Amino acid sequence: MQTVQRNPLERAVVAICSLVLWLTTGVIFLILTTNTVLRYAIGSSLQWANELPELLFPWLVMAGVVLAAEKGAHIATVFLVEAVPPAVRRVIGVLGWLVVAGLYGTLAWATFSMLEIVHDEKSPILQVPGSVTYGCVMGGMVMLALLALQSAWRTYQSHGALPGASVNPQEVHW
């Protein structure tokens, strides 16, 4: 198995997203299991048990998206980039990552601008503000922008070598 050397930024992103992923998955599983048992055992369920998984699911998804980006596990088409000389590949790579970082930054800023508006929207039972869900999306976009900037820097330092995924597809267990 290949060992990946991560810098402090990557370690922090992985730690935060892993914690969010484990917590949200565990809480969603416990709530849904408890609610199912209650329905079959006593014919009733917890009113808030349908709402909380809906609130936690965006956190679960965003953590997974960021972790996949950090591991380089998203799909990439590189055959055109592989056909050009390393110096051109380097320029394309750096510019591409900078555009990606800029787009994620723009999405994060747009989400931040909406936080005040959606804060007044509350979930029906738990009264959780809509800004909680938007905040998770904003945080994910910020982390993705930082990882894209990191990739731009690594591409610049690589002198045109194409970066590989930090995880071997054969090592992933579904």
CSV table of all heavy atoms in Angstrom, one decimal, residues 6-13:
chain,number,residue,atom,x,y,z
A,6,ARG,N,1.3,14.0,3.4
A,6,ARG,CA,0.4,15.2,3.4
A,6,ARG,C,1.0,16.3,4.1
A,6,ARG,O,1.6,16.1,5.2
A,6,ARG,CB,-1.0,14.8,4.0
A,6,ARG,CG,-1.8,13.8,3.2
A,6,ARG,CD,-3.1,13.7,3.8
A,6,ARG,NE,-4.0,12.8,3.0
A,6,ARG,CZ,-4.3,11.6,3.3
A,6,ARG,NH1,-3.9,11.1,4.4
A,6,ARG,NH2,-5.1,10.9,2.5
A,7,ASN,N,0.8,17.5,3.7
A,7,ASN,CA,1.2,18.7,4.4
A,7,ASN,C,0.1,19.1,5.4
A,7,ASN,O,-0.9,18.5,5.5
A,7,ASN,CB,1.5,19.9,3.4
A,7,ASN,CG,0.2,20.3,2.7
A,7,ASN,OD1,-0.9,20.2,3.2
A,7,ASN,ND2,0.4,20.8,1.4
A,8,PRO,N,0.4,20.1,6.3
A,8,PRO,CA,-0.5,20.4,7.3
A,8,PRO,C,-2.0,20.8,6.8
A,8,PRO,O,-2.9,20.4,7.5
A,8,PRO,CB,0.1,21.6,8.0
A,8,PRO,CG,1.6,21.4,7.8
A,8,PRO,CD,1.7,20.8,6.4
A,9,LEU,N,-2.0,21.5,5.7
A,9,LEU,CA,-3.3,21.8,5.2
A,9,LEU,C,-4.1,20.6,4.8
A,9,LEU,O,-5.3,20.4,5.2
A,9,LEU,CB,-3.2,22.7,3.9
A,9,LEU,CG,-4.5,23.0,3.1
A,9,LEU,CD1,-5.4,23.8,3.9
A,9,LEU,CD2,-4.2,23.6,1.8
A,10,GLU,N,-3.5,19.7,4.1
A,10,GLU,CA,-4.2,18.4,3.7
A,10,GLU,C,-4.5,17.6,4.9
A,10,GLU,O,-5.6,17.0,5.0
A,10,GLU,CB,-3.3,17.6,2.8
A,10,GLU,CG,-3.1,18.3,1.4
A,10,GLU,CD,-2.0,17.7,0.6
A,10,GLU,OE1,-0.9,17.3,1.2
A,10,GLU,OE2,-2.1,17.6,-0.6
A,11,ARG,N,-3.7,17.5,5.9
A,11,ARG,CA,-4.0,16.7,7.1
A,11,ARG,C,-5.2,17.3,7.8
A,11,ARG,O,-6.1,16.6,8.3
A,11,ARG,CB,-2.8,16.7,8.1
A,11,ARG,CG,-1.7,15.7,7.6
A,11,ARG,CD,-0.7,15.4,8.7
A,11,ARG,NE,0.0,16.6,9.2
A,11,ARG,CZ,1.1,17.1,8.6
A,11,ARG,NH1,1.7,16.5,7.6
A,11,ARG,NH2,1.7,18.1,9.2
A,12,ALA,N,-5.3,18.7,7.9
A,12,ALA,CA,-6.4,19.3,8.6
A,12,ALA,C,-7.7,19.0,7.8
A,12,ALA,O,-8.7,18.7,8.4
A,12,ALA,CB,-6.1,20.8,8.7
A,13,VAL,N,-7.6,19.2,6.5
A,13,VAL,CA,-8.8,18.9,5.6
A,13,VAL,C,-9.3,17.5,5.8
A,13,VAL,O,-10.5,17.2,6.0
A,13,VAL,CB,-8.5,19.3,4.2
A,13,VAL,CG1,-9.6,18.7,3.2
A,13,VAL,CG2,-8.4,20.8,4.0
